[in-house]
Amino acid sequence: TSLYWFCMCPVTLSPVKWGYARSWDYEPTWESLDSRPLPAWFDQAKFGIFIHWGVYSVPSFGSEWFWWYWQEKQRPEYVKFMKRNYPPDFKYEDFGPQFTAQFFNASHWADLFQASGAKYIVLTTKHHEGFTLWGSQYSWNWNAVDEGPKRDIVKELEVAIRNRTALHFGLYYSLFEWFNPLFLEDQFSSFHKRQFPVSKMLPELYELVNNYQPELLWADGDGGAPDSYWNSTGFLAWLYNESPVRDIVVTNDRWGAGTICKHGGYYTCQDRYHPGHIMPHKWENCMTIDKVSWGYRRNAGICDYFTIEELVKQLVETVSCGGNLLMNIGPTRDGIISPIFEERLRQMGTWLSVNGEAIYGTHTWRSPNDTVTPDVWYTFKPKENLVYAIFLKWPTSGYLFLGEPKAIWSSTMVKLLGHGQPLNWTSLEPSGIVVKLPQLTISQLPCQWGWTLSLTNVI
């Protein structure tokens, strides 16, 4: 068994401050924790960037689940890849020194994320392989400070994000680890033993929160163990009551088997979750630009990546149904965000520079999409009495038929974002309007890939 992952040294968890009970203290029960209001910044943000980066970025073949598929599942394509390219005694741990991050520049990353129009990021501090991107005290010799980059990646990115941007800083953390001996022993005991969470997972979570103060904590990977094994409710009670980010931190729903789409802060329900209708609870669509993998793949082809048109469509549909879009990129082992990912991020920023008014800080309307014209999605700002109709196809007739809004003859005003001039419209009965779009050349269009009408005073 490898000695990379753990240290059997004594562990002292973060102390609980004792004192009088405050009215906003949360008990370590789901009933109490689920009653906590979601910090407002998250719903207003709408769009974030997910970053999957780790030792799996070295083979950069198939998936970020490379180790599992190669060693545990022994999938033929992974076994063949290793036989063709590496000596027979090569172990996954031997990829560690090759994870160099030699071109990683946190300032460049931060500037790119700002340019994308995203309002938050989520960095994978530790995936299921167990390698941490900070110098974890509980991951001896299997972390980015001791091995590979010899740098605290989490700290460098945190400093760059907070010094150079207005983005919220979020961290992903996998609860379990595929091949950690302590986890495997606990698993063998049907999780009656709790060596792994007590000596590894919980101490690392306290360390992450206290040292880097994330505004979003994205848990993942329960390994089939219930939340009682992970002591998730105890940790979240500390996070909400006593931690340095207690007033602003946002959490997701992946805190143990059975909690997803049921408990926690906002719901993710599943990867690439996309219900297509308005959900009563705040949710997030975490998806990846590479259709196959979350980590970087050297063998990806151009058709494996979503186009900007497809990404804008996902953003618009997600926000119209009340969700946030968390769009993933996978950097290379040396810290480069490849040109295809950079282009998609900058394209999204270009689109949002015109249409962001219809995305950020909006609410769902009474209908998420139009019932007459396909690919028209609605958002709403109640204080301004503004409805936004985002249409993804410019009608060849020059007229856009909207079946949902009902106009008020004396006060309804329609504008095209990025154009500014009021547009002529005709009311339909019993509801709906027809908008005459301006005649513009391609170079005169305010943006590409989708356009937005602002509708003032419609019912």
Side-chain angles (χ1 to χ4, degrees):
T1 301
S2 173
L3 297 178
Y4 274 105
W5 306 286
F6 65 100
C7 172
M8 292 300 291
C9 48
V11 173
T12 303
L13 300 186
S14 183
V16 175
K17 299 175 184 176
W18 295 100
Y20 63 89
R22 300 174 306 193
S23 59
W24 58 87
D25 276 348
Y26 295 96
E27 298 295 324
T29 65
W30 285 121
E31 182 181 11
S32 177
L33 296 169
D34 290 346
S35 72
R36 178 180 182 258
L38 192 72
W41 73 260
F42 183 75
D43 182 51
Q44 295 165 1
K46 305 301 183 187
F47 176 46
I49 302 298
F50 216 169
I51 307 137
H52 272 68
W53 200 30
V55 173
Y56 48 83
S57 307
V58 177
S60 51
F61 174 85
S63 165
E64 73 288 347
W65 281 54
F66 183 94
W67 195 1
W68 181 259
Y69 292 150
W70 168 41
Q71 296 270 288
E72 182 68 21
K73 295 299 183 182
Q74 296 187 7
R75 289 191 176 182
E77 63 270 32
Y78 291 83
V79 173
K80 189 182 296 182
F81 173 82
M82 290 305 297
K83 283 183 177 178
R84 284 179 174 176
N85 298 288
Y86 297 92
D89 58 346
F90 193 94
K91 298 180 176 61
Y92 188 82
E93 297 94 310
D94 296 327
F95 284 126
Q98 299 177 31
F99 180 56
T100 63
Q102 66 188 96
F103 298 125
F104 169 59
N105 185 312
S107 296
H108 290 172
W109 281 27
D111 293 347
L112 175 58
F113 299 151
Q114 178 92 319
S116 75
K119 298 300 182 184
Y120 63 103
I121 67 153
V122 179
L123 172 70
T124 53
T125 64
K126 185 197 78 167
H127 202 256
H128 313 325
E129 65 187 12
F131 188 90
T132 68
L133 295 189
W134 82 101
S136 168
Q137 297 180 50
Y138 312 97
S139 190
W140 175 79
N141 209 31
W142 193 232
N143 66 75
V145 174
D146 292 337
E147 186 72 279
K150 306 290 178 70
R151 298 161 68 178
D152 186 338
I153 300 295
V154 179
K155 175 55 71 175
E156 288 185 36
L157 190 57
E158 180 215 352
V159 169
I161 290 291
R162 289 185 164 143
N163 286 350
R164 301 175 71 90
T165 78
L167 276 70
H168 296 272
F169 184 67
L171 298 177
Y172 164 109
Y173 181 85
S174 171
L175 305 182
F176 91 125
E177 296 170 20
W178 287 315
F179 301 113
N180 189 298
L182 294 180
F183 177 76
L184 295 176
E185 191 175 332
D186 289 353
Q187 187 180 48
F188 186 75
S189 76
S190 299
F191 301 115
H192 294 300
K193 290 183 178 180
R194 298 186 60 252
Q195 301 173 89
F196 180 73
V198 169
S199 63
K200 180 70 160 70
M201 164 262 184
L202 285 166
E204 284 191 336
L205 276 178
Y206 283 107
E207 191 175 61
L208 270 180
V209 172
N210 284 320
N211 290 351
Y212 305 103
Q213 302 192 14
E215 295 157 85
L216 193 158
L217 196 55
W218 215 101
D220 190 28
D222 57 49
D227 65 89
S228 56
Y229 167 78
W230 300 112
N231 191 25
S232 299
T233 54
F235 171 75
L236 289 172
W238 170 82
L239 186 69
Y240 294 167
N241 293 328
E242 303 293 340
S243 79
V245 290
R246 59 186 176 273
D247 296 325
I248 58 169
V249 70
V250 171
T251 62
N252 66 346
D253 56 351
R254 302 188 182 193
W255 293 98
T259 67
I260 194 167
C261 219
K262 186 177 179 182
H263 293 303
Y266 65 87
Y267 293 167
T268 63
C269 297
Q270 62 188 43
D271 291 350
R272 304 173 181 86
Y273 184 59
H274 192 32
H277 56 86
I278 295 172
M279 300 293 291
H281 192 94
K282 183 64 189 180
W283 61 281
E284 180 184 67
N285 173 8
C286 64
M287 51 77 66
T288 181
I289 298 174
D290 178 347
K291 301 172 187 177
V292 176
S293 173
W294 298 79
Y296 177 71
R297 288 191 305 140
R298 287 178 289 166
N299 58 324
I302 189 65
C303 294
D304 291 331
Y305 297 103
F306 282 114
T307 65
I308 185 58
E309 290 86 355
E310 292 169 325
L311 294 172
V312 166
K313 181 180 173 71
Q314 287 228 23
L315 174 66
V316 169
E317 292 178 357
T318 297
V319 172
S320 294
C321 294
N324 281 18
L325 186 72
L326 184 61
M327 191 171 78
N328 178 74
I329 60 167
T332 67
R333 68 187 179 100
D334 40 21
I336 292 173
I337 296 173
S338 65
I340 191 78
F341 288 133
E342 179 172 353
E343 181 184 56
R344 293 294 183 272
L345 294 180
R346 293 192 184 278
Q347 286 172 327
M348 190 67 89
T350 298
W351 189 85
L352 283 165
S353 68
V354 175
N355 300 281
E357 178 186 332
I359 300 294
Y360 307 125
T362 58
H363 299 259
T364 56
W365 196 41
R366 55 179 172 79
S367 175
N369 60 296
D370 198 65
T371 51
V372 172
T373 303
D375 289 319
V376 176
W377 295 83
Y378 294 105
T379 60
F380 181 43
K381 285 185 176 174
K383 287 183 180 179
E384 296 85 350
N385 199 16
L386 275 172
V387 172
Y388 296 98
I390 307 170
F391 57 107
L392 302 175
K393 295 177 182 176
W394 191 279
T396 54
S397 67
Y399 291 87
L400 185 64
F401 290 75
L402 300 177
E404 282 299 320
K406 187 166 185 179
I408 302 171
W409 181 254
S410 59
S411 61
T412 294
M413 182 178 293
V414 181
K415 291 183 179 181
L416 176 69
L417 294 191
H419 179 254
Q421 299 301 314
L423 305 181
N424 294 325
W425 55 270
T426 304
S427 187
L428 298 174
E429 293 297 336
S431 67
I433 62 173
V434 181
V435 179
K436 186 178 187 302
L437 298 173
Q439 293 183 325
L440 302 173
T441 65
I442 291 177
S443 62
Q444 290 174 326
L445 286 171
C447 57
Q448 304 176 65
W449 319 308
W451 304 268
T452 303
L453 295 178
S454 67
L455 312 173
T456 308
N457 296 324
V458 294
I459 301 173

